[in-house]
Amino acid sequence: MAQRKHIARSLRFTLSAVYTGLFTLLLLGVMLLFRNNLATNLDVQARDDIQQSWDVLKSNLRIEHDPGQPNYHPVWFFDTGDPDEANAEARIRSVLAIADEQGKPVPENLSSTYESLGMDSPAQVKRVLASNQAIWLSKKDPEGLPYLIRQSYVTSEDRSRKYFVAIGKSFAESAALLRQFDYLCLALLPLVIVLCFLTGWIFTGRSLTPVLQIAQAAQHISGSNLSLRIPSRRTGDELDYLVDTFNQMIERLEINFNQVRQFSTDVSHELRTPITIVRGQLEVALLTANTAEQYRDAIVDSLQDIERLSQIVRALLLLSQAETGQVILQKQSLDLVEVSEGIVDQFQIPAEGASLDLKFLPKVLRCPGEFDRIQIERMLSNLLSNAIKFTPAGGSICVTLGLDGDNAEIVVEDTGQGIPPEHLPLIFDRFYRVRGKEEQASPEKGLGLGLSFVSWIVRAHGGTVEARSEKGKGTSFRILLPRHGNSVDEPRVHELPSGEAMRQL
Ligand code: ADP
């Protein structure tokens, strides 16, 4: 029962039923039209035949009266020797009634067939005699067979008398033909309905197969099975479009799931390392330390690692708050030249310590706009600390500031180790770090969150960030910030030719 209910509600059933219903209506319409046409043609043909007989009758019937006698009577002038005329007379006389002005039939001119149809009342006879036009009507014999009748009158030669004359023709053959047509339609209709439903069922079934495949595939998809794809039929129709869209959606989900998975792994890894170190240090201290000094050293070391731990947690919290829209920009009117200059100044000492030449080259005197000072300073700090971290001694770092249309354009460029092209599109992801031999050896290990912050800050200001790099030669980050900001919700990462990565925010 439930299954039947389910089928009756299915799209396949509905489409087939609608298609069958429409087709049946159309067929009924065509049949009715055809039947109507057939009936009209049969009627016209019968009337033509009767009219022809009437013309023949008129030229072969006269109403005469014998000289000296008051009575008039109809006289026929058929040449019975001529087979054609004999035939015509027989045809006319088969359904014939002639009556005088009182409606009294002339005995030898009332055929038995017409009699069986019922002689017309005197009132009807009078009505016919008074009418200038022939009257057409249909009558039925006792067996129910229909006849088409034409009633009119013939006038005597002296125009003093009118005689009612009715002739007719059996309509039985035509009625039988129409009945046959009706039976044929009645017999064909259920057959056509069944056939129609079946073809509709088969075709809609075929057309809906990809939809079912999508549903089945969707049922099998889970977090661990996102590599599943629905094969495209390559027909270019709407369902193919649906399949492609669905596959693209799964692909995006797969990428997102992998990122989330990778992110969880990275977070656990980042948090586990300091926890293991702290635990190790404390265990060793517990087992080996004897003096207060030794305990103090162990606690200081542990505190340093705990500090790193809380640094990671703080950064992660802030980043996730930022990305879920919980951090709202505190925009104010700022001069970017002044803000950038201040940050570059702060980095002069670490740059000198790393034997790097750090320059600030503004192309404009002032660059006013609406920005969040703290976030802009954070963005520049992250870029500069990376540049210092990844540029070997003797290299240089240059920060330029200019205008590009209504945007402020900030470029932070270094002559450092560069980023291999395969890593470039990923550097804005959380915890992503380029892990080459040199990088692993690097004493100052970052969290891999700095560029994620840069990415969010630029996005929150409605701008774009673009990274270009050449391994061994250097890296440059170009940021465009609308000066009278608009914010955009979703980040869009644009693939650039190798050696470039861009995040449009
Ligand atoms: P981290 O805290 O490790 O610096 P970031 O998100 O700031 O994390 O940077 C991600 C990775 O991008 C870095 O680990 C580094 O491999 C690479 N990177 C970022 N800036 C530069 C640069 N100026 N030169 C070379 N590599 C860079």
Side-chain angles (χ1 to χ4, degrees):
M1 186 68 189
Q3 180 70 12
R4 231 188 295 155
K5 222 173 175 182
H6 175 73
I7 288 181
R9 274 195 205 150
S10 71
L11 188 60
R12 187 179 187 184
F13 183 86
T14 314
L15 285 177
S16 310
V18 168
Y19 160 74
T20 309
L22 284 178
F23 192 81
T24 309
L25 276 181
L26 194 78
L27 195 73
L28 272 176
V30 171
M31 279 174 171
L32 278 177
L33 204 75
F34 192 78
R35 190 193 187 283
N36 212 24
N37 243 351
L38 185 68
T40 313
N41 281 344
L42 288 172
D43 189 64
V44 167
Q45 203 182 340
R47 280 172 193 243
D48 279 355
D49 286 354
I50 295 174
Q51 188 61 42
Q52 270 177 23
S53 297
W54 178 256
D55 294 341
V56 175
L57 177 145
K58 272 202 91 178
S59 49
N60 286 287
L61 176 70
R62 259 180 249 151
I63 308 297
E64 291 186 347
H65 73 112
D66 302 329
Q69 296 286 323
N71 290 343
Y72 285 74
H73 52 91
V75 182
W76 294 94
F77 289 92
F78 279 113
D79 177 4
T80 44
D82 181 341
D84 283 349
E85 289 209 14
N87 265 343
E89 187 184 7
R91 208 169 52 238
I92 290 167
R93 278 181 171 280
S94 65
V95 185
L96 172 73
I98 299 181
D100 64 15
E101 284 169 3
Q102 279 71 44
K104 199 170 148 232
V106 181
E108 64 276 21
N109 284 304
L110 176 64
S111 71
S112 57
T113 308
Y114 200 96
E115 208 174 356
S116 72
L117 296 175
M119 185 53 206
D120 301 85
S121 63
Q124 169 68 5
V125 170
K126 283 204 173 102
R127 206 161 65 83
V128 173
L129 294 180
S131 166
N132 283 331
Q133 282 181 340
I135 291 177
W136 292 88
L137 45 93
S138 58
K139 289 183 172 218
K140 281 191 177 162
D141 72 1
E143 286 166 28
L145 295 177
Y147 281 80
L148 184 64
I149 306 292
R150 182 191 193 281
Q151 297 180 336
S152 187
Y153 60 82
V154 176
T155 319
S156 64
E157 277 193 341
D158 58 8
R159 305 218 157 259
S160 64
R161 289 281 197 287
K162 279 180 181 174
Y163 268 74
F164 165 88
V165 181
I167 55 170
K169 188 176 187 277
S170 164
F171 204 65
E173 265 181 42
S174 307
L177 201 68
L178 284 174
R179 239 191 340 269
Q180 261 178 16
F181 181 82
D182 291 347
Y183 290 150
L184 193 76
C185 290
L186 278 179
L188 271 182
L189 209 61
L191 204 75
V192 169
I193 290 175
V194 171
L195 268 179
C196 211
F197 189 83
L198 278 180
T199 44
W201 184 258
I202 291 167
F203 274 110
T204 45
R206 271 195 202 162
S207 324
L208 290 173
T209 307
V211 178
L212 291 178
Q213 282 175 345
I214 294 174
Q216 278 159 6
Q219 276 175 355
H220 287 114
I221 289 171
S222 65
S224 55
N225 193 13
L226 278 171
S227 55
L228 203 103
R229 296 288 180 277
I230 300 165
S232 169
R233 298 171 309 147
R234 310 241 164 266
T235 49
D237 60 7
E238 289 86 348
L239 287 173
D240 244 14
Y241 179 60
L242 180 69
V243 169
D244 288 347
T245 312
F246 186 80
N247 282 340
Q248 283 163 14
M249 186 190 80
I250 301 289
E251 202 170 311
R252 282 198 302 273
L253 278 180
E254 192 181 11
I255 292 171
N256 284 351
F257 257 70
N258 286 341
Q259 276 175 352
V260 170
R261 214 174 279 145
Q262 184 60 42
F263 177 65
S264 321
T265 316
D266 289 343
V267 171
S268 338
H269 181 76
E270 289 301 322
L271 296 180
R272 205 185 53 206
T273 313
I275 289 173
T276 316
I277 295 170
V278 170
R279 189 194 164 128
Q281 282 166 348
L282 291 177
E283 276 174 357
V284 170
L286 208 60
L287 289 174
T288 59
N290 294 318
T291 62
E293 190 65 19
Q294 282 170 330
Y295 275 113
R296 201 174 173 279
D297 286 351
I299 290 171
V300 169
D301 286 350
S302 302
L303 273 176
Q304 275 173 1
D305 285 309
I306 287 171
E307 177 51 32
R308 179 174 164 78
L309 204 61
S310 48
Q311 209 186 325
I312 296 173
V313 173
R314 269 200 310 272
L316 267 179
L317 193 67
L318 184 61
L319 194 59
S320 67
Q321 280 175 340
E323 290 189 342
T324 51
Q326 293 172 50
V327 177
I328 296 158
L329 290 187
Q330 306 291 323
K331 285 193 183 177
Q332 48 180 296
S333 295
L334 289 183
D335 177 11
L336 271 191
V337 175
E338 179 229 308
V339 177
S340 312
E341 198 164 25
I343 295 294
V344 173
D345 281 350
Q346 283 176 22
F347 276 85
Q348 282 302 350
I349 294 171
E352 273 169 31
S355 311
L356 298 171
D357 176 26
L358 172 60
K359 283 192 295 261
F360 175 53
L361 299 175
K363 293 183 194 164
V364 284
L365 282 177
R366 290 188 74 244
C367 182
E370 297 285 313
F371 307 103
D372 181 326
R373 177 184 277 273
I374 294 181
Q375 303 303 348
I376 295 291
E377 286 179 350
R378 186 196 294 267
M379 177 189 85
L380 286 169
S381 300
N382 286 356
L383 291 173
L384 282 174
S385 70
N386 274 349
I388 291 174
K389 223 178 341 177
F390 298 107
T391 306
S396 64
I397 301 165
C398 179
V399 179
T400 51
L401 176 58
L403 286 175
D404 182 303
D406 197 35
N407 295 322
E409 182 193 43
I410 305 170
V411 179
V412 179
E413 203 170 359
D414 63 52
T415 58
Q417 64 191 47
I419 303 166
E422 66 274 19
H423 293 281
L424 208 50
L426 303 169
I427 54 170
F428 293 99
D429 292 349
R430 280 176 284 192
F431 289 117
Y432 196 85
R433 283 171 305 208
V434 181
R435 292 168 208 258
K437 280 180 198 139
E438 317 95 270
E439 285 82 4
Q440 272 169 1
S442 171
E444 274 187 71
K445 201 178 158 217
L447 296 178
L449 293 175
L451 288 182
S452 303
F453 270 111
V454 171
S455 167
W456 170 73
I457 293 164
V458 178
R459 169 176 51 183
H461 281 86
T464 60
V465 54
E466 186 185 318
R468 290 165 195 257
S469 188
E470 216 176 313
K471 199 159 163 41
K473 290 205 169 161
T475 306
S476 90
F477 288 90
R478 178 173 177 259
I479 291 161
L480 290 180
L481 293 177
R483 290 195 299 140
H484 304 286
N486 53 317
S487 302
V488 177
D489 294 337
E490 281 300 314
R492 280 163 284 153
V493 178
H494 290 247
E495 292 284 338
L496 289 176
S498 106
E500 295 171 32
M502 177 182 188
R503 180 158 290 197
Q504 183 162 1
L505 306 142

